[in-house]
Amino acid sequence: MTTAHVTCPLCEATCGLEVTLDENQQVTRVTGDQQDVFSKGYICPKGASLGALHHDPDRLTAPLLKRDGEFVEVSWQEAYDEIELRLPPIAEKYGRDAVAVYAGNPGVHNIALTLYSRVLYKALGTKNFYSATSVDQMPKHYSSGTMFGDPLAIPVPDVDRTRHLLILGANPLVSNGSLMTAPDMRGRLRGIRERGGKIVVVDPRRTRTAQYADEHHAIRPGTDALLLFALVNVLVAENRVAPGRLAEHLNGLDDVRVLSRPFTPEAVAPRTGIEAAEIRRMALELADAENAVVYGRIGTTTQTFGTIASWLVDVLNVLTGNLDEPGGAMFPLAACTPTGNRKPFKVGRWHSRVRGYPEVVGELPVATLADEIETPGDGQVRALITVSGNPCLSTPNAGRLAEAIKGLDFMISVDVYLNETSRQADVILPGPSPLERPHFDLAFYQLSVRNIANWTPPTLPSELPQEWETMLRLTGIVTGQGPEADVAALDDFVAADVARRAKLEVTHDRTGPARLVDLMLRSGPYDVTLADLEAAPHGIDFGALKPRIPEVLCTASGRIELAPPTIVADVPRLRDELAKPLEDGLVLIGRRHLSSNNSWMHNLAPLVRGGNRCTVQVHPADATRLGLKDGGLASVTSRAGKLEVPVEVTDEVREGVISIPHGWGHDAAGSRTRVASANPGVNSNLVADETLLDVPSGTSVLNGIPVEVAPA
Ligand SMILES: Nc1nc2c(c(=O)[nH]1)N[C@H]1C(S)=C(S)[C@@H](COP(=O)(O)OP(=O)(O)OC[C@H]3O[C@@H](n4cnc5c(=O)[nH]c(N)nc54)[C@H](O)[C@@H]3O)O[C@H]1N2
Ligand SMILES: Nc1nc2c(c(=O)[nH]1)N[C@H]1C(S)=C(S)[C@@H](COP(=O)(O)OP(=O)(O)OC[C@H]3O[C@@H](n4cnc5c(=O)[nH]c(N)nc54)[C@H](O)[C@@H]3O)O[C@H]1N2
Ligand code: SF4
Ligand SMILES: [Mo]
C-alpha cells in the first residue's frame, strides 16, 4: 500500500488530496489531505472520484482513427501519419485560417496543455481560435484589461478577512469557487459570520450559497448591470464615494458619476425585481462596512451585459475604498507570475469573417464558430482541432455546431473520452489520467485568496505520452517537420524562450512542464525553486494577499481607468433598457451541481447516483399557469431550438425563470461513455441562442435566454 499527495486538478479550488493505492496500483481511497497548507483536508465528491476517473474503462488508452466511419485503435505513429497526410495540405491550400482551434476548460487545469498548447496554437497562426472563455469569464478579462491594463490582473475577494461579501451570480458552495481559488468555501463563509460580517447573495435561484447567506435577492436574470449601476448611483448621491489611498491612482471618477445618473434605484427596481429601498440599503451597507467586497461570477458574465457588470463590480470595489485593501478585492501574487514586458491590452486586432465580431485576448466568440464553418468563401474553416473541449455540449446552439462540424474536411480531438464532440473527429489523441501526470495550478494560483504553490509529481507512470509531447508532435507536423520532428529539440526551444523572458540561463536537468515551472519559479517574486516545492508535498504558503497597486497596473496612463472608453461606449445599450417596455416572458438560466463538472464527469458512477438531475426547475406559479406537473415532461423552445425535459416544480427559482443545468445530453450515437449514456439528460445548449452576445466581449448569453415552455 502506498499513499501519494496530489493537488486535485478538477476545479479551481486546488484541494490537496491523499490518494491510497494497493499493491496492484489500484486506487483504494481518496481523502482530503489534512496537512495541505491551503485546503486543510477539504474534499468534494469529484475529488473523491479521482480513482474512479483513473480506472474508468471508457477512458481512452490509445489513439483512435476513423476508418469507414468506425473508430479503430491505432499506434501513435499511424495517428500522426494520418494527421501529416491530411492537416498541412488544408492550411497550404486554403490558408492558415482554414484550421480552427477550440480549447476547452480542462486544458487550464492541466500543466502540459497550459504551457504547450500555446506553442501549437502559435505555430498554427490561425485567426480562428476559440475557447471556453467566450462562454465563461471573457467579460472579466475585458474589464481587467481595460481598467488595469492586464486581462489577467483579476482581483479576487479577500474572503478570509472580509466583513461584507456581496455575491452576484455565483454559487461557490456548489462550484467551489471560480475566479476565486478558495478551497472549503463553506468554512471560509462561516469565518465571515464568525467575524460578525455579512453575506449577501444576488441570484435568481435560492441556491445553497443563497440559503447560507444572511440575505438573498432573487434578481431578474440579465439585470445585474442595472443593479450595480444603481448601487454606484446611491454612493454618488449620498456622498459616499471614498476611494481612499486609490484616489491618486484613478482616472475617470467623474465620468462614472455622470454615467450612473440615469440608473436610480427607482428606475432599475422594476427591471431587476429588487425594491428601490433595498437597493439603497445594500449600497449604504457596502459603504458602512469596515471592509467589503463585491464579487460576481458566471451569472454576471454569461449574460447580455456581462462586460458592464464585470466592470461595475470593480468600480464598486474602488468607490468604497475596498480595491487592493485587506478584506476587499485584492490581486494575488503567484509564485509563477510572468515577468518581463506585458503588452498593452488591445481588442479588435482582427474580426470574425462572417459576423465581424472583434477579437478579444486573441480569440473570437465560439458562438460564431458554426458560421465560420458553414459559410463558403475565402477563409472558411475546413479543419478543427479541439483540445480538451466538448463544444457540442457546452456552446450555444450546440445542435447547429454539431451539424456544421459534419461538413469539415478534417478534425482532430485531443481528448480523454470518445464523447459528443470527439466522436465527430477523424483522429482522437488521448492523454494520461490526472494521476499519471505532474500537476501545478499555474492559472489558479493567479486567482488564489492566499499566495500558494504546490507541485504534484505523477503518482503512477503513464503508458500514454504526456500531453506536452503530443502538443509538440502536432507542432512539428504543423511547422513542416513532420511526425518525426525532434520533440526534445522543440522542448529545448520552448524552454529557451521561457528562460529568455525570465532573464535566466536555460537549464538542462529537467524537461517538459517541470523545467518551465522551475524557470518561472526562479524568476518569480518568491525565493523558491521546483526542488523546494518537491520537498514540500503539502504545499508552500506565501501568506495572505498584499496590496499591489500601482505595481500591478499596466495601463498606458499607469492609473486605474475607471471609465474605459470601450466599456463606456456600451453604456447607451444599457440605458436603452430603461426605456424599453417591461417584458414578462419566461427566461432560461443554468445551474451547477456539486457532482458534475461541466459536461465530462457524468461517466463516473459515484457522481451520477441518485436519479436524474437534469430537470427543468419551474416556479409553482409558472407551473400552474402553464399546466406543468412535477415529474411530467416539458418542452422548451427558443429561437435556436427545442428540447424536452422532466419538470421539477420548486420555489427555489424566481417566478418567470426556469433553470436547466448544462453539460448533459449524452445520447449521441457513437459516443463511448456507457455510464453517462445510460442516464443522458438533455443538452440545454440546444436552446441557447448563439446570436445573443455580450457586445464588447463576445461572450454568449447563457443566462436569461427567452424561451417558451409547455407540457410535452
Ligand atoms: N448553458 C451553459 N453552457 C455552459 C456553461 C453554463 O453555465 N451554461 N458554462 C460554460 C463554462 S463556464 C465552461 S468552462 C464551458 C466548458 O466547456 P468545455 O471546455 O467545452 O467542456 P467540458 O465539459 O469542460 O469538457 C472538456 C472536455 O475535455 C476532456 N478532458 C478532460 N480531461 C482532459 C485531459 O486531461 N486532457 C484532455 N485532452 N482532455 C480532457 C473531456 O473528456 C471533455 O471532452 O462550458 C460552458 N457552457
Ligand atoms: N460542481 C461543479 N463545480 C464547478 C463546475 C461544475 O460544472 N460543477 N464548473 C466549473 C466552472 S467551469 C466554472 S466557470 C465555475 C462557475 O462558478 P459559479 O459562477 O459559482 O457557478 P454557478 O453555480 O453556475 O453559479 C452561477 C449562478 O448564477 C446564477 N445566475 C444565473 N443568471 C443570473 C443573473 O442574470 N444574475 C445573477 N445575479 N445570477 C444569475 C445562477 O442561478 C447560479 O446560481 O464553476 C466551476 N466549478
Ligand atoms: S473542490 Fe475542486 S479541487 Fe477540491 S476536491 Fe472538489 S473538485 Fe477537487
Ligand atoms: Mo468555466
Side-chain angles (χ1 to χ4, degrees), residues 134-136 139 168-169 202 204 219-228 296-310 570 573-574 577 588-589 692-705:
S134 61
V135 281
D136 190 347
L168 303 105
V202 175
I219 192 169
R220 286 185 60 221
T223 64
D224 298 76
L226 294 173
L227 170 67
L228 291 162
R297 200 49 198 93
I298 276 282
T300 61
T301 53
T302 52
Q303 55 145 291
T304 315
F305 294 99
T307 298
I308 296 186
S310 299
D570 195 34
R573 189 170 65 98
L574 183 67
E577 286 293 297
L588 169 67
I589 64 169
L692 302 178
L693 298 184
D694 165 51
V695 172
S697 74
T699 306
S700 296
V701 174
L702 303 171
N703 286 293
I705 301 162

Side-chain angles (χ1 to χ4, degrees), residues 10-13 44-46 105-106 109 132 135-137 167-180 201-210 217-225 227 295-304 444 587-600 602 613 617 652-653 657 659 662-663 702-704:
L10 297 173
C11 90
E12 299 181 37
C44 85
K46 285 187 308 226
N105 171 277
H109 298 265
V135 281
D136 190 347
Q137 82 284 4
I167 302 179
L168 303 105
N171 186 11
L173 289 189
V174 164
S175 69
N176 281 301
S178 181
L179 300 186
M180 170 177 68
V201 169
V202 175
D203 195 305
R205 272 183 70 231
R206 197 168 65 249
T207 60
R208 269 196 203 193
T209 310
H217 300 277
I219 192 169
R220 286 185 60 221
T223 64
D224 298 76
L227 170 67
Y295 163 71
R297 200 49 198 93
I298 276 282
T300 61
T301 53
T302 52
Q303 55 145 291
T304 315
F444 299 105
V587 293
L588 169 67
I589 64 169
R591 69 178 186 270
R592 282 177 161 74
H593 188 281
L594 193 57
S595 294
S596 283
N597 199 16
N598 296 318
S599 76
W600 71 277
H602 295 144
R613 307 199 290 264
Q617 295 185 332
E652 277 180 21
V653 281
V657 176
S659 166
H662 75 285
L702 303 171
N703 286 293

Side-chain angles (χ1 to χ4, degrees), residues 305-351:
F305 294 99
T307 298
I308 296 186
S310 299
W311 162 61
L312 290 174
V313 162
D314 285 326
V315 166
L316 280 165
N317 287 326
V318 170
L319 297 188
T320 53
N322 285 305
L323 187 84
D324 205 40
E325 287 290 333
M330 301 192 80
F331 298 95
L333 182 62
C336 281
T337 300
T339 46
N341 289 341
R342 290 178 290 170
K343 287 186 202 141
F345 179 72
K346 268 203 195 118
V347 296
R349 291 168 296 176
W350 60 88
H351 288 78

Side-chain angles (χ1 to χ4, degrees), residues 217-300:
H217 300 277
I219 192 169
R220 286 185 60 221
T223 64
D224 298 76
L226 294 173
L227 170 67
L228 291 162
F229 242 142
L231 297 176
V232 174
N233 178 288
V234 175
L235 295 178
V236 172
E238 305 279 334
N239 250 326
R240 298 300 302 268
V241 172
R245 174 177 71 86
L246 291 188
E248 58 175 304
H249 300 291
L250 295 181
N251 275 344
L253 183 54
D254 284 335
D255 298 326
V256 168
R257 290 181 211 266
V258 173
L259 287 167
S260 73
R261 260 181 216 151
F263 301 97
T264 61
E266 284 70 19
V268 309
R271 298 181 187 268
T272 57
I274 305 174
E275 283 174 24
E278 289 286 280
I279 296 174
R280 226 169 238 116
R281 186 177 55 77
M282 286 166 82
L284 295 179
E285 284 182 8
L286 257 186
D288 286 340
E290 193 179 309
N291 60 39
V293 57
V294 185
Y295 163 71
R297 200 49 198 93
I298 276 282
T300 61

Side-chain angles (χ1 to χ4, degrees), residues 438-451:
H439 181 67
F440 183 81
D441 270 300
L442 195 65
F444 299 105
Y445 294 141
Q446 325 257 3
L447 296 162
S448 180
V449 301
R450 287 184 75 81
N451 291 315

